[in-house]
Amino acid sequence: MQLKNFGFNWCEPNDFSIVKDSIATDCAFIFFRTPVKVWIQNGYKELEASTGMFWTRGVKQIYYPVGIKDMVHDFIYINFDTDAEKDYIQGIPIGFPIYFPEPQSIIHIMEVINNEIYANTKKQYKYEILPRLIEILIYKIRNNIDFQSTNPIESPYYNVIGKLRYDIYNNVKYDWTIKTMSEYVNLSPSHFQKIYKQFFLITPTNDVIRARIANAKS
């Protein structure tokens, strides 16, 4: 397994864009820390922060920031040396969003890979360690995929609830109650809570708590 390109906590201006008919490597994974608009099959979709996507050769790769803020993302491009290595990504949706209710697990392993890349070049076993770390990253991603749940991208509520979650994480001091959140998306409280948990695998109340804890840590 060969690491061809990597970026950790990479910041691009709000006029940045990627437009490729195909990536140049066997596989790429992008983890978006800020909202983006991406090409999915035959149209564009806005994705919330903490969403990732895989691409392989022959799959169109188009994405760019949403809004006036800069785009922050992590990316990794790899080539496989054997068919066995290609099996690592079997079953992972290619060219479709992957939602991470606990994004810190992905950010952490990306940071470990970043530190290993920029460690002393004479460090023993460095190039044996990197492929193992990439394997761990892929397994962590697979752990986040719930193939039995409804794909949120197909829901008519995806954009508005995605925007709500973005606002929650960027306005943690606001009084986010079930009432205020359900009114935000114009749904009944019970229906709202059910859909929110389907999308993000966490209840809206617990997600508000998580957002406040993350804000306090940062």
Side-chain angles (χ1 to χ4, degrees), residues 18 32 34-49 51-53 55 60-67 71 95-99 151-160 162-163 199:
I18 286 287
F32 299 108
T34 52
V36 294
K37 182 169 281 191
V38 301
W39 175 267
I40 299 174
Q41 287 188 334
N42 296 317
Y44 289 95
K45 293 288 184 181
E46 287 190 15
L47 305 183
E48 63 160 88
T51 303
M53 285 184 66
W55 285 268
K60 185 181 294 187
Q61 184 188 56
I62 302 176
Y63 63 87
Y64 54 89
V66 172
M71 183 181 76
F96 285 90
I98 302 170
Y99 305 89
N151 187 348
I153 203 68
E154 298 173 354
S155 170
Y157 302 113
Y158 169 72
N159 285 336
V160 67
K163 184 177 185 304
F199 281 11

Side-chain angles (χ1 to χ4, degrees), residues 20-28 55-59 61 77-78:
K20 299 177 182 177
D21 287 331
S22 173
I23 61 173
T25 58
D26 291 334
C27 175
W55 285 268
T56 53
R57 292 183 193 271
V59 178
Q61 184 188 56
Y77 289 77
I78 57 179

Side-chain angles (χ1 to χ4, degrees), residues 12-178:
E12 299 287 359
N14 65 346
D15 60 351
F16 170 84
S17 65
I18 286 287
V19 180
K20 299 177 182 177
D21 287 331
S22 173
I23 61 173
T25 58
D26 291 334
C27 175
F29 172 69
I30 317 291
F31 179 74
F32 299 108
R33 302 198 192 194
T34 52
V36 294
K37 182 169 281 191
V38 301
W39 175 267
I40 299 174
Q41 287 188 334
N42 296 317
Y44 289 95
K45 293 288 184 181
E46 287 190 15
L47 305 183
E48 63 160 88
S50 299
T51 303
M53 285 184 66
F54 268 89
W55 285 268
T56 53
R57 292 183 193 271
V59 178
K60 185 181 294 187
Q61 184 188 56
I62 302 176
Y63 63 87
Y64 54 89
V66 172
I68 61 174
K69 293 184 178 180
D70 293 344
M71 183 181 76
V72 182
H73 64 318
D74 309 294
F75 55 85
I76 184 167
Y77 289 77
I78 57 179
N79 279 338
F80 298 117
D81 293 323
T82 66
D83 288 339
E85 289 179 348
K86 293 179 182 179
D87 289 342
Y88 286 126
I89 63 170
Q90 288 296 319
I92 291 178
I94 304 300
F96 285 90
I98 302 170
Y99 305 89
F100 295 92
E102 297 183 358
Q104 283 304 127
S105 64
I106 300 302
I107 293 173
H108 173 70
I109 188 60
M110 287 293 233
E111 184 176 17
V112 173
I113 293 172
N114 182 74
N115 292 342
E116 192 64 33
I117 290 171
Y118 293 104
N120 190 321
T121 55
K122 296 181 180 179
K123 186 175 179 181
Q124 192 176 18
Y125 305 124
K126 174 177 181 175
Y127 295 103
E128 287 74 21
I129 292 172
L130 279 173
R132 305 292 81 77
L133 291 175
I134 296 171
E135 291 173 19
I136 292 171
L137 172 66
I138 293 173
Y139 281 124
K140 281 185 174 289
I141 293 167
R142 293 178 71 101
N143 278 341
N144 275 276
I145 298 172
D146 182 0
F147 292 102
Q148 303 305 314
S149 64
T150 302
N151 187 348
I153 203 68
E154 298 173 354
S155 170
Y157 302 113
Y158 169 72
N159 285 336
V160 67
I161 292 185
K163 184 177 185 304
L164 166 64
R165 195 182 196 213
Y166 176 77
D167 285 347
I168 289 171
Y169 274 75
N170 284 274
N171 299 278
V172 294
K173 294 183 179 180
Y174 185 76
D175 184 22
W176 295 110
T177 64
I178 294 299

